[in-house]
């Protein structure tokens, strides 16, 4: 009770005090006004001062005004005792009492009421309702709601001043997190981090900084955000990181996200992109073939765009070139294994080491005529090839498949039986031809002579007939 309330007395006490002051006996039907009138005659000060406005009212009217407590009033009270049901009995103005149920005592959890209030302590309470059974008090009171009202006022002030608050996550609920600030606050899942979070349980029980983004004490609505603070922090980090990054420098970063077209790596507070073509010297189907989230990698800064806050990075540029010392590794004439990466109309490109592809021309695929390379090789096929030539300056290697296979045409020629050697002219037997005329041989005859004799005989036979 306040000091002013302690000085207030009941109507009966005032009458008794007045009797003592005038030192006279009064009948039983003496009223309060009679007593005060007598006091005026005797010039005695009454125990209770009544102003001019109240002088025309009865003492009952005055006391009724003092004791007029209604639900919703914010009043002060003194903690009188704590009963067996853990209810706190509070003395109110006008000599009345109220009770605070355990659930209305504090916004925080407690084991026993004495952890929250002490006997004799003056506290602020709000009147929830009056009760007919007045054995335990005339009113149901709440200290918790007064405390909550103060919390709402403090939170409103923090919101108006754009302040940051620190709070612990109470539990995970559907769609977000709840925060206990003396009143219930809610953090939507979209406001927890700068990126999507699938598992919210990792936040439960942890303490973070939050920003109030929406508050309505009347509706008891409090929306908080951690995301806006993180974005502000990272914006400052990005700006500082962009100032430090230099094109051509090699720095260490952490893989934070993988996509189909590349990987994002955080370097000193800013995320840079490594395009899939800059991850390795060889061709890869997906960044996941080489990288995982959380990997620590060395990258070369290719380009920094401070206005757009974009950074282009490369892992490939930090690795030894695949064509370095290629002539020593794969000299002309050597045989190696390779994988067919591409098949074209004029041949096939075969990867003989990561980042190094050589061409097998269609003419080097088989000893027979090949209409299309698809007749001989297929994509992703592994095969042996022979190195025909190496030109590291042009990053070209000529390969051959048929050079490792036996030519069937040459084998057929080897198995064919050899023809008998032709006889020389001098080895032929001499065949004598009759001479048409030999002047030295008188006995020789000419062809005309032989024919002439035969014809003459033929003619003779005809004549005889």
């Amino acid at each position: 009770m306040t000091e002013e309330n302690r000085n207030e007395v009941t109507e009966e006490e005032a009458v008794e005090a007045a009797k003592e002051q005038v030192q006279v006996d009064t009948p039983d039907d003496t009223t309060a006004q009679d007593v005060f009138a007598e006091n005026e005659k005797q010039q005695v000060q009454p125990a209770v001062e009544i102003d001019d406005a109240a002088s025309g009212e009865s003492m009952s009217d005055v006391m009724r005004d003092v004791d007029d407590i209604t639900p919703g009033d914010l009043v002060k009270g003194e903690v009188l005792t704590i009963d067996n049901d853990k209810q706190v009995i509070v003395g109110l103005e006008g000599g009345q009492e109220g009770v605070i149920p355990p659930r209305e005592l504090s916004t925080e959890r407690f084991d026993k009421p004495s952890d929250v209030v002490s006997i004799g302590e003056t506290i602020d309470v709000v009147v929830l309702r009056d009760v007919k059974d007045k054995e335990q008090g005339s009113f149901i009171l709440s200290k918790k709601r007064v405390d909550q009202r103060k919390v709402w006022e403090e939170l409103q002030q923090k919101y108006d001043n754009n302040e940051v608050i620190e709070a612990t996550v109470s539990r995970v609920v559907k769609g977000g997190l709840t925060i206990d600030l003396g009143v219930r606050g809610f953090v939507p899942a979209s406001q927890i981090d700068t990126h999507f979070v699938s598992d919210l349980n990792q936040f439960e029980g942890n303490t973070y900084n939050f920003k109030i983004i929406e508050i309505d004490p009347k509706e008891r609505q409090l929306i908080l955000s951690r995301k806006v603070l993180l974005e502000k922090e990272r914006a400052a980090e990005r700006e500082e990181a962009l100032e430090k990054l230099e094109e051509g420098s090699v720095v260490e970063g952490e893989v934070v996200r993988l996509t189909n077209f590349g990987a994002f790596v955080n370097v000193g507070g800013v995320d840079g992109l490594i395009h899939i073509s800059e991850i390795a010297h060889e061709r890869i189907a997906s960044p996941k073939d080489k990288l995982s989230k959380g990997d620590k990698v060395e990258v070369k800064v290719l380009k920094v765009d401070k206005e757009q806050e974009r950074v282009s990075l490369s892992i490939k540029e930090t690795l030894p070139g695949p064509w370095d010392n290629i002539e020593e590794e794969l000299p002309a004439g050597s045989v190696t294994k390779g994988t067919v990466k591409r098949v074209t109309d004029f041949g096939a490109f075969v990867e003989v080491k990561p980042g190094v592809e050589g061409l097998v021309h269609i003419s080097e695929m088989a000893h027979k005529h090949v209409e299309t390379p698809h007749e001989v090789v297929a994509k992703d096929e592994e095969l042996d090839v022979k190195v025909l030539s190496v030109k590291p300056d042009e990053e070209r290697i000529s390969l051959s498949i048929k050079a490792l296979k036996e030519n069937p045409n040459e084998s057929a020629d080897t198995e064919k039986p050899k023809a008998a050697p032709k006889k020389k002219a001098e080895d032929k037997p001499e065949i004598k031809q009759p001479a048409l005329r030999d002047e030295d041989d008188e006995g020789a005859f000419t062809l005309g002579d032989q024919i002439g004799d035969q014809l003459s005989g033929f003619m003779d036979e005809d004549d005889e007939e």
Side-chain angles (χ1 to χ4, degrees):
M1 289 185 181
T2 62
E3 188 65 25
E4 181 182 353
N5 291 338
R6 290 195 183 97
N7 292 333
E8 293 182 355
V9 295
T10 65
E11 182 179 350
E12 291 77 7
E13 291 173 342
V15 173
E16 291 298 326
K19 288 179 179 180
E20 292 177 2
Q21 291 176 3
V22 297
Q23 298 180 355
V24 294
D25 295 331
T26 59
D28 294 336
D29 58 350
T30 303
T31 65
Q33 292 299 327
D34 295 333
V35 174
F36 287 114
E38 186 65 24
N39 284 342
E40 288 185 1
K41 293 179 181 179
Q42 300 296 328
Q43 296 183 350
V44 178
Q45 284 296 106
V48 179
E49 296 182 0
I50 301 178
D51 57 18
D52 295 339
S55 60
E57 300 176 358
S58 67
M59 179 61 70
S60 299
D61 293 333
V62 174
M63 299 309 298
R64 189 180 301 112
D65 292 338
V66 173
D67 297 338
D68 189 14
I69 298 176
T70 59
D73 288 350
L74 180 64
V75 296
K76 288 184 178 294
E78 181 181 352
V79 178
L80 301 179
T81 186
I82 299 172
D83 65 16
N84 295 332
D85 295 327
K86 295 185 177 180
Q87 297 184 127
V88 177
I89 309 302
V90 178
L92 302 176
E93 299 173 351
Q96 301 189 65
E97 293 182 355
V99 60
I100 305 176
R103 66 179 180 276
E104 294 294 337
L105 186 57
S106 176
T107 58
E108 300 178 356
R109 295 181 180 181
F110 59 89
D111 294 328
K112 50 186 183 296
S114 58
D115 295 336
V116 182
V117 295
S118 303
I119 295 176
E121 179 184 358
T122 300
I123 58 176
D124 291 322
V125 292
V126 64
V127 179
L128 299 182
R129 64 181 183 275
D130 54 6
V131 292
K132 295 180 180 179
D133 182 9
K134 300 186 178 182
E135 291 183 1
Q136 296 296 327
S138 301
F139 303 97
I140 300 297
L141 310 173
S142 174
K143 177 181 179 296
K144 179 179 73 173
R145 302 193 188 193
V146 174
D147 294 340
Q148 288 178 337
R149 186 180 300 181
K150 293 179 180 179
V151 171
W152 280 112
E153 292 174 354
E154 293 175 359
L155 291 174
Q156 183 67 55
Q157 186 177 7
K158 291 181 181 294
Y159 174 75
D160 295 339
N161 294 334
N162 201 29
E163 295 182 29
V164 175
I165 60 175
E166 184 179 77
T168 301
V169 177
S170 301
R171 59 195 181 98
V172 178
V173 296
K174 184 178 180 180
L177 309 172
T178 60
I179 307 296
D180 187 4
L181 292 166
V183 296
R184 181 180 179 274
F186 179 67
V187 183
S190 61
Q191 295 296 323
I192 294 174
D193 212 325
T194 55
H195 57 274
F196 174 74
V197 180
S198 57
D199 182 15
L200 301 183
N201 292 310
Q202 59 182 300
F203 298 99
E204 186 171 349
N206 295 331
T207 301
Y208 303 100
N209 287 333
F210 296 96
K211 180 78 177 294
I212 301 173
I213 59 176
E214 187 176 341
I215 183 171
D216 188 346
K218 293 182 179 180
E219 297 294 332
R220 305 179 69 82
Q221 184 172 342
L222 179 66
I223 307 299
L224 306 169
S225 174
R226 176 172 173 259
K227 177 182 177 180
V228 293
L229 296 178
L230 294 177
E231 287 178 337
K232 185 176 180 180
E233 291 175 2
R234 291 175 185 178
E237 291 175 354
R238 283 197 302 270
E239 184 177 356
E240 183 179 357
L242 287 170
E243 292 296 330
K244 292 181 178 180
L245 286 178
E246 296 181 1
E247 295 184 3
S249 62
V250 176
V251 296
E252 186 181 70
E254 179 181 350
V255 178
V256 293
R257 188 156 54 99
L258 297 174
T259 66
N260 294 331
F261 55 86
F264 286 92
V265 177
N266 185 274
V267 284
V270 62
D271 291 349
L273 173 64
I274 305 177
H275 191 267
I276 188 172
S277 62
E278 292 294 334
I279 293 177
H281 288 292
E282 66 271 24
R283 298 176 184 271
I284 58 175
S286 170
K288 294 180 181 179
D289 295 341
K290 291 290 183 179
L291 300 172
S292 299
K293 185 178 178 180
D295 286 351
K296 302 290 184 180
V297 293
E298 278 196 347
V299 293
K300 184 177 181 179
V301 180
L302 301 181
K303 186 178 180 181
V304 179
D305 187 341
K306 295 181 180 179
E307 294 183 358
Q308 299 294 326
E309 294 187 354
R310 293 179 180 175
V311 178
S312 298
L313 306 173
S314 174
I315 294 177
K316 182 174 72 175
E317 292 292 328
T318 66
L319 305 175
W323 291 90
D324 296 346
N325 304 319
I326 191 68
E327 288 181 298
E328 289 76 11
E329 293 181 34
L330 297 171
S334 62
V335 177
T336 186
K337 287 187 176 294
T339 303
V340 179
K341 293 296 183 180
R342 288 178 293 154
V343 181
T344 66
D345 294 337
F346 56 86
F349 287 92
V350 179
E351 186 180 63
V352 291
K353 63 172 290 187
V356 176
E357 293 181 2
L359 173 64
V360 180
H361 193 268
I362 190 172
S363 62
E364 291 294 333
M365 290 189 169
H367 291 288
K368 66 178 182 178
H369 176 70
V370 178
E371 290 289 341
T372 172
H374 292 282
E375 298 176 8
V376 181
V377 297
K379 189 176 182 299
D380 296 328
E381 179 183 355
E382 293 187 359
L383 42 74
D384 292 329
V385 291
K386 184 175 182 178
V387 180
L388 300 181
S389 64
V390 182
K391 296 180 180 179
D393 295 340
E394 300 177 10
E395 295 188 355
R396 291 184 180 181
I397 293 182
S398 296
L399 306 173
S400 175
I401 296 174
K402 76 176 185 180
L404 299 178
K405 298 180 180 180
E406 186 176 359
N407 189 340
N409 297 327
E410 293 181 355
S411 300
D413 293 341
T414 302
E415 295 174 0
K416 186 177 180 180
K418 294 181 179 180
K422 295 181 179 180
K423 293 183 179 180
K424 296 180 180 180
E426 56 271 16
D427 295 334
K428 293 182 179 181
E430 183 178 356
I431 300 176
K432 293 183 178 181
Q433 298 286 348
L436 296 178
R437 185 179 296 274
D438 190 351
E439 296 179 354
D440 297 333
D441 187 2
E442 294 181 356
F445 56 90
T446 66
L447 182 59
D449 294 335
Q450 294 180 356
I451 295 175
D453 292 341
Q454 294 177 0
L455 289 175
S456 60
F458 178 74
M459 294 298 293
D460 291 340
E461 293 177 357
D462 290 339
D463 291 342
E464 290 178 356
E465 295 176 357

